[in-house]
Amino acid sequence: SDPGHVIPSYKMARLVSLFLSGDEKEVDIILPTIQRVTKGNGLDVNRVKDLLETYVNPKIYEKYSPEIDRAVRWCSVLLGPMAAPQPYVEANCPLSEAPHYAKLFRNIPSAKQLYEIVNEKRLLPLDVDFSNIVSRVSSYLSFSQIKYLLTHRSKFDWQAGDLRRLRYVYSVKKKVLEISESYGGLSFLPQSFFMSVFVGEATRASLRARVPK
């Protein structure tokens, strides 16, 4: 199950021993070296160089000794342990909790508060102020959130005007969702932006229509 054990250490040590000496007599020396690498403790440079010096032709080893040394040390760096970067922790708080913006959201309920109020006192109509606030912020809610609000409360629990606006925003978002699902590909990457502009303008227009002149 562990990817590090796809090729068992013993079989790998046996293969290296056969390659160097032609038999299995060096398995007991090579095996700890391989296990040290697989455990993340790095390559034993001295042991590897001793093995090479023993089994490589002396003339070749003497002639290319600097190159062999560099190659072994390069492998040591390649197979050596390295420090894992510390996970990045975002220190900033949500904008709604930042002091500069907190006052702007003071009278606007969070999604958690919306669900809590909608689900409590199911036998009583919703508070008038709450109904008005939900109506005003409905354009900022997702399609699934508006659907939840409409399906978990009777139509008689909402103020008539607020219910009309909720249903209107719901129908607009549903139509936008249907349109967006029919498109795709790189040429339609900006579609979400233009859809959001369309939804925002449509819902703002309906809100302006409710304000008496």
Side-chain angles (χ1 to χ4, degrees), residues 148-173:
Y148 182 92
L149 296 174
L150 290 174
T151 55
H152 282 70
R153 275 293 189 162
S154 168
K155 62 181 181 179
F156 301 108
D157 293 342
W158 302 92
Q159 299 299 306
D162 300 329
L163 180 62
R164 283 195 299 270
R165 176 169 167 77
L166 277 174
R167 286 176 171 173
Y168 173 76
V169 175
Y170 173 83
S171 63
V172 172
K173 287 182 178 286

Short mmCIF file of all heavy atoms in Angstrom, two decimals, residues 148-173:
data_model
loop_
_atom_site.label_atom_id
_atom_site.label_comp_id
_atom_site.label_asym_id
_atom_site.label_seq_id
_atom_site.Cartn_x
_atom_site.Cartn_y
_atom_site.Cartn_z
N TYR A 148 -33.73 27.41 -0.39
CA TYR A 148 -33.88 26.90 0.98
C TYR A 148 -34.87 27.77 1.76
O TYR A 148 -35.75 27.25 2.46
CB TYR A 148 -32.52 26.88 1.67
CG TYR A 148 -32.55 26.33 3.07
CD1 TYR A 148 -32.33 24.98 3.30
CD2 TYR A 148 -32.79 27.16 4.18
CE1 TYR A 148 -32.34 24.46 4.59
CE2 TYR A 148 -32.82 26.64 5.45
CZ TYR A 148 -32.60 25.30 5.66
OH TYR A 148 -32.63 24.80 6.94
N LEU A 149 -34.72 29.09 1.65
CA LEU A 149 -35.60 30.00 2.38
C LEU A 149 -37.05 29.85 1.94
O LEU A 149 -37.96 29.88 2.78
CB LEU A 149 -35.15 31.45 2.16
CG LEU A 149 -33.76 31.83 2.71
CD1 LEU A 149 -33.40 33.25 2.31
CD2 LEU A 149 -33.72 31.68 4.23
N LEU A 150 -37.26 29.68 0.64
CA LEU A 150 -38.63 29.58 0.14
C LEU A 150 -39.27 28.23 0.46
O LEU A 150 -40.50 28.17 0.64
CB LEU A 150 -38.64 29.81 -1.37
CG LEU A 150 -38.33 31.24 -1.84
CD1 LEU A 150 -38.23 31.28 -3.36
CD2 LEU A 150 -39.41 32.21 -1.36
N THR A 151 -38.47 27.18 0.52
CA THR A 151 -39.04 25.85 0.75
C THR A 151 -39.17 25.50 2.23
O THR A 151 -39.93 24.60 2.57
CB THR A 151 -38.17 24.77 0.06
OG1 THR A 151 -36.81 24.89 0.51
CG2 THR A 151 -38.22 24.95 -1.45
N HIS A 152 -38.45 26.22 3.09
CA HIS A 152 -38.51 25.90 4.51
C HIS A 152 -39.43 26.83 5.30
O HIS A 152 -39.51 26.72 6.53
CB HIS A 152 -37.10 25.94 5.12
CG HIS A 152 -36.29 24.73 4.80
ND1 HIS A 152 -35.83 24.46 3.55
CD2 HIS A 152 -35.87 23.68 5.59
CE1 HIS A 152 -35.16 23.32 3.57
NE2 HIS A 152 -35.17 22.83 4.78
N ARG A 153 -40.09 27.71 4.60
CA ARG A 153 -41.07 28.57 5.24
C ARG A 153 -42.29 28.71 4.35
O ARG A 153 -42.19 28.78 3.13
CB ARG A 153 -40.48 29.96 5.51
CG ARG A 153 -39.71 30.04 6.81
CD ARG A 153 -40.62 29.89 8.02
NE ARG A 153 -39.93 30.19 9.25
CZ ARG A 153 -40.53 30.48 10.41
NH1 ARG A 153 -41.85 30.50 10.47
NH2 ARG A 153 -39.82 30.71 11.49
N SER A 154 -43.45 28.74 4.99
CA SER A 154 -44.70 28.93 4.25
C SER A 154 -44.74 30.32 3.63
O SER A 154 -44.14 31.27 4.14
CB SER A 154 -45.89 28.74 5.19
OG SER A 154 -47.09 29.17 4.57
N LYS A 155 -45.46 30.43 2.53
CA LYS A 155 -45.59 31.73 1.88
C LYS A 155 -46.32 32.74 2.76
O LYS A 155 -46.17 33.95 2.59
CB LYS A 155 -46.32 31.58 0.55
CG LYS A 155 -47.76 31.06 0.69
CD LYS A 155 -48.41 30.91 -0.67
CE LYS A 155 -49.85 30.40 -0.52
NZ LYS A 155 -50.51 30.26 -1.86
N PHE A 156 -47.08 32.25 3.73
CA PHE A 156 -47.80 33.14 4.64
C PHE A 156 -46.89 33.71 5.74
O PHE A 156 -47.31 34.62 6.46
CB PHE A 156 -48.98 32.40 5.27
CG PHE A 156 -49.96 31.87 4.27
CD1 PHE A 156 -50.03 30.50 4.02
CD2 PHE A 156 -50.79 32.72 3.55
CE1 PHE A 156 -50.92 30.00 3.09
CE2 PHE A 156 -51.69 32.23 2.62
CZ PHE A 156 -51.76 30.86 2.38
N ASP A 157 -45.68 33.17 5.89
CA ASP A 157 -44.75 33.66 6.91
C ASP A 157 -44.01 34.91 6.47
O ASP A 157 -43.43 35.62 7.29
CB ASP A 157 -43.73 32.57 7.27
CG ASP A 157 -44.39 31.39 7.97
OD1 ASP A 157 -45.52 31.55 8.47
OD2 ASP A 157 -43.77 30.30 8.01
N TRP A 158 -44.01 35.18 5.16
CA TRP A 158 -43.30 36.34 4.62
C TRP A 158 -44.27 37.49 4.38
O TRP A 158 -45.47 37.30 4.19
CB TRP A 158 -42.62 35.99 3.29
CG TRP A 158 -41.65 34.87 3.36
CD1 TRP A 158 -41.90 33.54 3.13
CD2 TRP A 158 -40.26 34.95 3.69
NE1 TRP A 158 -40.78 32.80 3.30
CE2 TRP A 158 -39.73 33.64 3.63
CE3 TRP A 158 -39.40 35.99 4.02
CZ2 TRP A 158 -38.41 33.35 3.89
CZ3 TRP A 158 -38.07 35.71 4.28
CH2 TRP A 158 -37.59 34.41 4.22
N GLN A 159 -43.72 38.71 4.38
CA GLN A 159 -44.52 39.86 3.94
C GLN A 159 -44.77 39.73 2.45
O GLN A 159 -43.92 39.24 1.69
CB GLN A 159 -43.78 41.16 4.25
CG GLN A 159 -43.51 41.38 5.73
CD GLN A 159 -44.80 41.46 6.55
OE1 GLN A 159 -45.69 42.25 6.25
NE2 GLN A 159 -44.90 40.62 7.58
N ALA A 160 -45.93 40.15 2.01
CA ALA A 160 -46.34 39.93 0.61
C ALA A 160 -45.32 40.50 -0.37
O ALA A 160 -44.91 39.84 -1.33
CB ALA A 160 -47.72 40.54 0.37
N GLY A 161 -44.89 41.74 -0.16
CA GLY A 161 -43.93 42.37 -1.06
C GLY A 161 -42.57 41.68 -1.03
O GLY A 161 -41.92 41.52 -2.08
N ASP A 162 -42.16 41.24 0.16
CA ASP A 162 -40.88 40.56 0.28
C ASP A 162 -40.92 39.20 -0.40
O ASP A 162 -39.94 38.78 -1.04
CB ASP A 162 -40.52 40.39 1.76
CG ASP A 162 -40.40 41.72 2.47
OD1 ASP A 162 -40.02 42.71 1.82
OD2 ASP A 162 -40.69 41.76 3.69
N LEU A 163 -42.05 38.51 -0.30
CA LEU A 163 -42.20 37.21 -0.94
C LEU A 163 -42.15 37.35 -2.45
O LEU A 163 -41.52 36.53 -3.14
CB LEU A 163 -43.52 36.56 -0.51
CG LEU A 163 -43.81 35.19 -1.11
CD1 LEU A 163 -42.74 34.18 -0.68
CD2 LEU A 163 -45.20 34.70 -0.70
N ARG A 164 -42.78 38.40 -2.99
CA ARG A 164 -42.73 38.62 -4.43
C ARG A 164 -41.29 38.84 -4.91
O ARG A 164 -40.87 38.32 -5.94
CB ARG A 164 -43.60 39.83 -4.82
CG ARG A 164 -45.09 39.54 -4.83
CD ARG A 164 -45.85 40.62 -5.56
NE ARG A 164 -45.67 41.92 -4.92
CZ ARG A 164 -46.45 42.39 -3.94
NH1 ARG A 164 -47.46 41.65 -3.50
NH2 ARG A 164 -46.22 43.58 -3.42
N ARG A 165 -40.55 39.63 -4.15
CA ARG A 165 -39.16 39.90 -4.54
C ARG A 165 -38.31 38.63 -4.44
O ARG A 165 -37.49 38.36 -5.32
CB ARG A 165 -38.57 41.00 -3.66
CG ARG A 165 -37.09 41.26 -3.95
CD ARG A 165 -36.59 42.51 -3.27
NE ARG A 165 -35.14 42.56 -3.31
CZ ARG A 165 -34.42 42.90 -4.37
NH1 ARG A 165 -35.03 43.20 -5.50
NH2 ARG A 165 -33.11 42.93 -4.32
N LEU A 166 -38.49 37.85 -3.38
CA LEU A 166 -37.74 36.60 -3.24
C LEU A 166 -38.02 35.67 -4.43
O LEU A 166 -37.10 35.07 -4.99
CB LEU A 166 -38.11 35.90 -1.93
CG LEU A 166 -37.41 36.38 -0.66
CD1 LEU A 166 -38.01 35.69 0.56
CD2 LEU A 166 -35.92 36.10 -0.73
N ARG A 167 -39.29 35.57 -4.79
CA ARG A 167 -39.63 34.70 -5.92
C ARG A 167 -39.07 35.25 -7.22
O ARG A 167 -38.66 34.47 -8.10
CB ARG A 167 -41.15 34.57 -6.00
CG ARG A 167 -41.74 33.68 -4.91
CD ARG A 167 -43.25 33.65 -4.97
NE ARG A 167 -43.80 32.65 -4.06
CZ ARG A 167 -45.10 32.51 -3.83
NH1 ARG A 167 -45.98 33.32 -4.44
NH2 ARG A 167 -45.53 31.57 -3.01
N TYR A 168 -39.04 36.56 -7.35
CA TYR A 168 -38.50 37.17 -8.56
C TYR A 168 -36.99 36.89 -8.68
O TYR A 168 -36.50 36.48 -9.73
CB TYR A 168 -38.76 38.68 -8.54
CG TYR A 168 -38.10 39.42 -9.68
CD1 TYR A 168 -38.61 39.37 -10.96
CD2 TYR A 168 -36.94 40.17 -9.46
CE1 TYR A 168 -38.01 40.04 -12.00
CE2 TYR A 168 -36.33 40.84 -10.50
CZ TYR A 168 -36.86 40.78 -11.77
OH TYR A 168 -36.26 41.44 -12.80
N VAL A 169 -36.27 37.12 -7.58
CA VAL A 169 -34.82 36.85 -7.58
C VAL A 169 -34.57 35.37 -7.83
O VAL A 169 -33.64 34.99 -8.56
CB VAL A 169 -34.18 37.30 -6.25
CG1 VAL A 169 -32.71 36.91 -6.20
CG2 VAL A 169 -34.33 38.80 -6.07
N TYR A 170 -35.40 34.52 -7.24
CA TYR A 170 -35.27 33.08 -7.45
C TYR A 170 -35.42 32.72 -8.92
O TYR A 170 -34.63 31.95 -9.48
CB TYR A 170 -36.32 32.35 -6.61
CG TYR A 170 -36.40 30.86 -6.86
CD1 TYR A 170 -35.53 29.99 -6.22
CD2 TYR A 170 -37.34 30.34 -7.74
CE1 TYR A 170 -35.60 28.62 -6.44
CE2 TYR A 170 -37.41 28.97 -7.98
CZ TYR A 170 -36.54 28.13 -7.33
OH TYR A 170 -36.61 26.78 -7.57
N SER A 171 -36.43 33.30 -9.58
CA SER A 171 -36.66 32.99 -10.98
C SER A 171 -35.53 33.49 -11.86
O SER A 171 -35.13 32.82 -12.82
CB SER A 171 -38.00 33.59 -11.43
OG SER A 171 -37.98 35.01 -11.35
N VAL A 172 -34.99 34.69 -11.54
CA VAL A 172 -33.88 35.23 -12.33
C VAL A 172 -32.65 34.36 -12.17
O VAL A 172 -31.97 34.01 -13.15
CB VAL A 172 -33.58 36.69 -11.90
CG1 VAL A 172 -32.29 37.18 -12.56
CG2 VAL A 172 -34.73 37.60 -12.25
N LYS A 173 -32.32 33.99 -10.94
CA LYS A 173 -31.14 33.16 -10.70
C LYS A 173 -31.30 31.77 -11.32
O LYS A 173 -30.33 31.18 -11.81
CB LYS A 173 -30.87 33.04 -9.20
CG LYS A 173 -30.32 34.32 -8.58
CD LYS A 173 -30.02 34.14 -7.10
CE LYS A 173 -29.42 35.39 -6.50
NZ LYS A 173 -28.02 35.59 -6.91
#
